[in-house]
Amino acid sequence: MEEPTLILASPRSNYHAFLPISLMGGFLRELSEHLRIKVWFAFVAAYANFLGTNSSVDHVLGSFLSLKRYPERTLHRWAKYYGPIYSVWLGNQLFVIVSEPGIAKGLMATHGAVFSDRKEMFIKSQTVLVGRGITASPYSKRWRKHRRIASLWLSRKAVESYTHVLDFEATDMISHLHRDCGNGMADVNPQVYADQCSLNNMLTITFSFRTDSAHHPMVALALRLSREFMNITGPVSNLVDFVPILQRLPSSMRCRARTLHSELVNVYGGLIKEIAEKMQAGGEVQDCLVKTMLLRKEKEALDELDVTMLASAFIIGGIETTASVMQWFTALIPAHPHVQTRAQEELDRVVGRDRLPTVEDEANLPYCSAIVKEVERCHNPFWLGTPHMANRDSVYGEHLIPKGTVVVLNTWTMHHDPERWGSPMEFAPDRYANEQLHSSASAKLPNPKERDHWIFAAGRRICPGMLVAEREIRLTVSRMLWAFDTHPIAGKPIDLNEYDGESGRSPMPFEVRLRPRFPGVRKILEEESERWRIGSTSHC
Ligand code: HEM
């Protein structure tokens, strides 16, 4: 393909007006001399033409309109044209878009000391998380401290210590679905059950608290806050993040961000206060992230916002993500009955019908594991992950990447590479038939092209929750397959293309019929529920 021309200024455009003078001078000259990164402005120019105007506002709006709803699809189109690494200016921010495993590993892992910083985005970092909560923290001493504290609750040893919680919540979810499925006669939306399961896991780990029903007020509240967070923090779709003047003006986005910050402080800060008061009064509080933080508050010099935002990051990071994968699994299965049958044959062979599948069975359920990986490849909850930022000028291959550049992992393109994944749009778990590694281990493979998928991103900021996420998802998926035949409902097609959510990607609301596979399912679920019943403690 002929290389596209590097257009830094078109006769019809005056977009230079958006670049700071310093960038205009030294930096752009350097770019044109040293950099073969392709700068994309064609769409902007086309948009201006379309409007019959060359006004600056139109140019800026043009790129945002294109990136607003499904930015991953736009970035994918550009990747096909501009190659595996290209750059885009949005307002005053230079982005580098990486769409190839080798480059992703090279930048984010091999050169992790340079590419592990975070841009302090106006909405997400400055306004909602006020620079805390690991996710938003710059690559600094504070981030290292928060990451170390988070690891106390997300490491392999920690996950082993609370696997009984994941086990209980998975059983509870299947039991509730069994109760509500009308023996295969009722139309059920499984999404709320997955949401509650993920939420309960995170609430227990973070606050030693769980909800006892999907109607508990905390379920709707936590899900609303999580969804609002995802919706207003899209990595490349917030105009206000990249046009500094807008940050000083009142806007609905700024208002939503401030409201969300206050709600996180009220809701999760409120739970933390209750735990602190209980501890001060000498009451017993089960081990959880908040208890750990409160006990180390002085030693680790954590202020109240640190504790609140780190706890919020666990709830936000751990709900829509895992729940989304479980939901996509249930949405995909009715359209692929042969996949369901094969997985059930494996479960009958390995587990039998006298007990539920457990964590110990995982290694012997390669087809169930392949299904989970394929769901994750096809439906990454965050196609663009959380962008990293270069903390110094560097040259990668022939590309100069200046300090302050935001690096986005374009996982949509990486997950749909036809050379690695023949017929990439097809849901075909068989492509993972020989992949026995957990995703956490696969992420460490020396050859990044062999990695299973990129949903947990890469490098020093790789998702620290991947061990708990994998265990939770594998347990729920294998138990769903063990307990039910999932069927589509005539006249209620499931949309596998559209998304619900503006940056997190969940399926649109859908319903299925769940038919228990054999009469013994009820008895086993009742026995398991009884064994695990631990009673819930309400903090609300
Ligand atoms: C399927 C489930 C999940 C997916 C797809 C996912 C994905 C991600 C991604 C893409 C990142 C950004 C990594 C980067 O900056 O390069 C991230 C960060 C993070 N995730 Fe997850 N995540 C999942 C589950 C969880 C769970 C269960 C937790 C539990 C608390 C969690 C906690 C976090 C935290 C704290 C960070 C911030 C890390 C940092 O900035 O250093 N995630 N996750």
Side-chain angles (χ1 to χ4, degrees):
M1 191 205 308
E2 200 181 312
E3 208 170 275
T5 322
L6 181 76
I7 308 168
L8 291 177
S10 88
R12 286 183 57 100
S13 79
N14 59 350
Y15 52 76
H16 280 165
F18 292 102
L19 305 176
I21 298 303
S22 59
L23 290 180
M24 277 293 300
F27 171 61
L28 280 184
R29 253 197 317 278
E30 264 187 88
L31 261 186
S32 49
E33 279 166 22
H34 301 288
L35 177 66
R36 253 196 69 235
I37 279 181
K38 291 88 178 177
V39 179
W40 179 87
F41 280 116
F43 180 84
V44 177
Y47 186 74
N49 277 329
F50 169 72
L51 289 179
T53 169
N54 66 350
S55 88
S56 312
V57 171
D58 295 331
H59 295 324
V60 169
L61 280 179
S63 38
F64 280 102
L65 288 180
S66 173
L67 290 166
K68 183 78 191 151
R69 183 77 181 113
Y70 297 122
E72 65 275 9
R73 295 182 193 172
T74 304
L75 296 187
H76 178 62
R77 274 202 309 280
W78 295 348
K80 283 209 281 196
Y81 192 73
Y82 294 105
I85 176 165
Y86 61 90
S87 70
V88 182
W89 281 100
L90 294 178
N92 69 344
Q93 181 61 53
L94 179 66
F95 284 81
V96 164
I97 313 298
V98 172
S99 313
E100 197 274 329
I103 303 175
K105 184 182 175 196
L107 292 183
M108 293 191 170
T110 314
H111 298 286
V114 179
F115 293 99
S116 297
D117 214 346
R118 290 272 198 246
K119 165 88 182 168
E120 299 201 48
M121 296 289 189
F122 177 70
I123 291 295
K124 179 176 180 175
S125 308
Q126 296 178 29
T127 315
V128 180
L129 293 172
V130 289
R132 321 291 176 99
I134 305 187
T135 321
S137 312
Y139 188 56
S140 61
K141 268 190 184 164
R142 177 188 284 175
W143 169 76
R144 281 188 200 89
K145 181 167 70 180
H146 288 192
R147 181 101 185 177
R148 184 165 40 74
I149 294 170
S151 297
L152 295 173
W153 279 91
L154 299 173
S155 67
R156 188 170 300 282
K157 194 170 152 213
V159 175
E160 289 298 341
S161 77
Y162 56 72
T163 289
H164 63 281
V165 172
L166 312 181
D167 194 340
F168 170 75
E169 294 301 343
T171 309
D172 198 54
M173 180 183 103
I174 305 289
S175 300
H176 283 117
L177 282 166
H178 186 273
R179 182 195 63 197
D180 298 343
C181 75
N183 215 16
M185 301 306 284
D187 299 353
V188 180
N189 177 344
Q191 290 168 282
V192 64
Y193 300 81
D195 283 336
Q196 196 206 349
C197 175
S198 292
L199 174 63
N200 272 347
N201 282 327
M202 286 303 118
L203 285 176
T204 309
I205 294 165
T206 312
F207 299 106
S208 70
F209 157 61
R210 72 180 293 274
T211 64
D212 52 6
S213 101
H215 306 294
H216 191 293
M218 181 53 111
V219 177
L221 182 57
L223 291 176
R224 181 175 64 72
L225 296 182
S226 232
R227 177 53 65 93
E228 178 67 350
F229 183 85
M230 303 305 172
N231 282 351
I232 66 174
T233 60
V236 291
S237 51
N238 278 338
L239 189 59
V240 67
D241 276 335
F242 314 117
V243 184
I245 192 160
L246 295 180
Q247 296 165 12
R248 287 193 229 128
L249 305 173
S251 69
S252 68
M253 199 52 99
R254 192 178 77 168
C255 178
R256 282 169 69 183
R258 285 182 174 172
T259 306
L260 179 58
H261 172 77
S262 307
E263 288 191 291
L264 293 177
V265 170
N266 287 340
V267 175
Y268 300 127
L271 289 177
I272 293 165
K273 203 162 159 241
E274 282 184 33
I275 294 178
E277 284 169 4
K278 199 166 172 189
M279 284 167 68
Q280 264 164 14
E284 197 195 330
V285 175
Q286 283 188 359
D287 287 343
C288 60
L289 171 73
V290 167
K291 182 175 171 184
T292 302
M293 287 195 283
L294 292 175
L295 288 172
R296 292 168 175 242
K297 209 170 163 200
E298 312 274 287
K299 189 172 148 220
E300 301 276 14
L302 296 170
D303 64 21
E304 269 176 36
L305 266 181
D306 284 329
V307 178
T308 307
M309 290 303 148
L310 193 47
S312 302
F314 266 52
I315 304 296
I316 292 168
I319 309 179
E320 285 235 5
T321 48
T322 45
S324 159
V325 177
M326 295 179 210
Q327 292 174 6
W328 279 112
F329 157 76
T330 325
L332 281 157
I333 278 298
H336 301 88
H338 58 288
V339 171
Q340 178 167 244
T341 307
R342 246 183 92 184
Q344 290 168 341
E345 282 164 8
E346 181 180 78
L347 284 158
D348 282 346
R349 201 171 57 249
V350 175
V351 178
R353 295 187 170 197
D354 296 332
R355 64 175 179 86
L356 290 170
T358 64
V359 171
E360 287 71 36
D361 294 314
E362 266 182 16
N364 300 317
L365 297 171
Y367 194 68
C368 290
S369 151
I371 293 175
V372 171
K373 284 181 192 281
E374 180 66 346
V375 173
E376 292 171 339
R377 184 192 68 83
C378 294
H379 292 285
N380 183 354
F382 294 100
W383 284 117
L384 305 182
T386 307
H388 294 202
M389 188 182 77
N391 60 11
R392 70 186 87 128
D393 290 351
S394 60
V395 176
Y396 181 74
E398 55 192 358
H399 307 298
L400 168 76
I401 303 179
K403 177 178 176 174
T405 302
V406 169
V407 180
V408 174
L409 213 52
N410 171 13
T411 64
W412 208 96
T413 300
M414 286 153 78
H415 285 198
H416 293 84
D417 174 2
E419 280 184 25
R420 167 87 205 265
W421 315 108
S423 309
M425 298 305 289
E426 253 176 50
F427 176 71
D430 266 330
R431 59 176 100 243
Y432 286 106
N434 299 320
E435 297 246 3
Q436 299 301 325
L437 291 179
H438 278 78
S439 296
S440 39
S442 186
K444 294 183 189 145
L445 286 172
N447 181 355
K449 292 195 165 106
E450 290 172 3
R451 188 171 164 184
D452 54 359
H453 54 62
W454 293 79
I455 71 167
F456 297 113
R460 299 180 188 192
R461 298 196 84 131
I462 195 168
C463 174
M466 59 186 160
L467 289 170
V468 56
E470 276 199 285
R471 187 158 281 190
E472 179 180 341
I473 293 168
R474 283 175 174 225
L475 260 181
T476 48
V477 165
S478 62
R479 288 183 181 182
M480 283 290 289
L481 287 161
W482 179 90
F484 303 112
D485 284 325
T486 304
H487 297 282
I489 303 169
K492 293 187 176 177
I494 299 174
D495 192 335
L496 295 173
N497 295 314
E498 274 302 310
Y499 298 117
D500 195 18
E502 288 172 33
S503 120
R505 300 294 191 214
S506 303
M508 298 296 283
F510 67 95
E511 289 180 328
V512 288
R513 291 266 169 94
L514 297 169
R515 188 163 303 133
R517 283 180 60 225
F518 47 91
V521 171
R522 173 195 291 271
K523 184 165 162 280
I524 289 164
L525 287 175
E526 281 171 0
E527 284 169 7
E528 281 294 308
S529 300
E530 203 44 48
R531 192 164 72 81
W532 283 113
R533 198 162 304 283
I534 52 174
S536 64
T537 326
S538 179
H539 285 263
C540 282

